[in-house]
Amino acid sequence: KNEVEQSPQNLTAQEGEFITINCSYSVGISALHWLQQHPGGGIVSLFMLSSGKKKHGRLIATINIQEKHSSLHITASHPRDSAVYICAALPVNNNDMRFGAGTRLTVKP
Amino acid sequence: KAGVTQTPRYLIKTRGQQVTLSCSPISGHRSVSWYQQTPGQGLQFLFEYFSETQRNKGNFPGRFSGRQFSNSRSEMNVSTLELGDSALYLCASSLAEVGKLFFGSGTQLSVL
């Protein structure tokens, strides 16, 4: 079983919809990253969080340390949000980053 | 401020050869980490350097090695290439030991 599980694997939404991507992990972590990867390979770090909630524009990331769960929300989704979203857990006392398999999001106009 | 620069962008090698990839971090960033991405395995952590010291290594064979120089630039080397080493190799830099990651565009390695 993968130490970092993401759901759903694939997600198709209509423009304007509210999107939620979930990430569960089994290791104790010092931080969790949400990454965005567009076709062509470039990866952008969206958030790094270790507790609570962070917001940047239409993106919101939350984490519940006790439940070992994080969510990435996109409000008012847009076709340019189409990408693969990856969560990555940084274990405590170890920088051996563990990655989820990614969620492929397609937003249709 | 320039981003993370990886060279070369594309590389084609044959089995048994060795390859060296380069990563120049954002100025002032002291942590550089390397990752392998394949369609089958997704993203996997290779190793991480901070101030010229390898702090962690992922579960890869000894054919994969790296180093970091005093100017924080990093190289990774893969010896005795195998077909399965074909992948996108990404590096990322961060300001602190645990910090936001800034990724390079990657080196696409094809082993024939």
Side-chain angles (χ1 to χ4, degrees):
Chain A
K1 188 177 175 354
N2 198 358
E3 291 170 303
V4 180
E5 297 279 354
Q6 278 187 245
S7 63
Q9 198 171 357
N10 293 284
L11 182 56
T12 301
Q14 288 297 130
E15 184 173 355
E17 285 186 359
F18 181 83
I19 305 279
T20 296
I21 299 171
N22 295 299
C23 176
S24 295
Y25 52 92
S26 57
V27 296
I29 65 166
S30 56
L32 185 132
H33 296 259
W34 279 102
L35 310 174
Q36 179 193 56
Q37 186 170 32
H38 280 284
I43 294 180
V44 173
S45 175
L46 299 174
F47 296 102
M48 184 188 74
L49 62 167
S50 54
S51 65
K53 176 179 173 178
K54 287 191 176 180
K55 184 176 189 292
H56 182 72
R58 297 179 295 106
L59 303 178
I60 302 166
T62 64
I63 190 167
N64 184 316
I65 296 294
Q66 286 73 30
E67 294 186 3
K68 293 194 167 107
H69 181 270
S70 177
S71 293
L72 176 69
H73 306 284
I74 305 174
T75 62
S77 60
H78 190 276
R80 65 174 174 267
D81 298 325
S82 298
V84 176
Y85 292 84
I86 302 166
C87 74
L90 188 63
V92 175
N93 299 325
N94 187 329
N95 276 8
D96 181 359
M97 191 92 75
R98 316 290 168 84
F99 294 90
T103 295
R104 184 174 299 277
L105 171 65
T106 303
V107 182
K108 295 186 175 180
Chain B
K1 201 181 228 185
V4 178
T5 303
Q6 287 189 249
T7 56
R9 186 71 179 90
Y10 300 95
L11 204 49
I12 300 174
K13 292 285 188 179
T14 56
R15 277 182 300 173
Q17 286 186 311
Q18 75 163 16
V19 67
T20 299
L21 312 181
S22 178
C23 174
S24 293
I26 290 172
S27 178
H29 285 195
R30 294 164 64 191
S31 173
V32 174
S33 49
W34 288 89
Y35 308 89
Q36 182 197 65
Q37 187 176 37
T38 59
Q41 298 294 321
L43 271 165
Q44 296 183 89
F45 170 79
L46 277 159
F47 26 67
E48 189 248 349
Y49 289 88
F50 185 85
S51 293
E52 300 180 68
T53 300
Q54 185 182 87
R55 296 201 309 145
N56 276 289
K57 191 175 193 298
N59 190 24
F60 278 83
R63 300 185 297 107
F64 291 80
S65 63
R67 57 179 177 169
Q68 186 180 33
F69 302 96
S70 58
N71 62 357
S72 293
R73 190 177 73 84
S74 178
E75 288 181 348
M76 68 163 280
N77 183 276
V78 188
S79 62
T80 319
L81 284 165
E82 300 177 359
L83 295 179
D85 297 334
S86 295
L88 178 66
Y89 290 88
L90 292 151
C91 81
S93 73
S94 67
L95 191 58
E97 292 178 65
V98 178
K100 181 175 177 176
L101 298 173
F102 294 82
F103 285 83
S105 299
T107 294
Q108 184 68 54
L109 171 65
S110 297
V111 182
L112 305 178

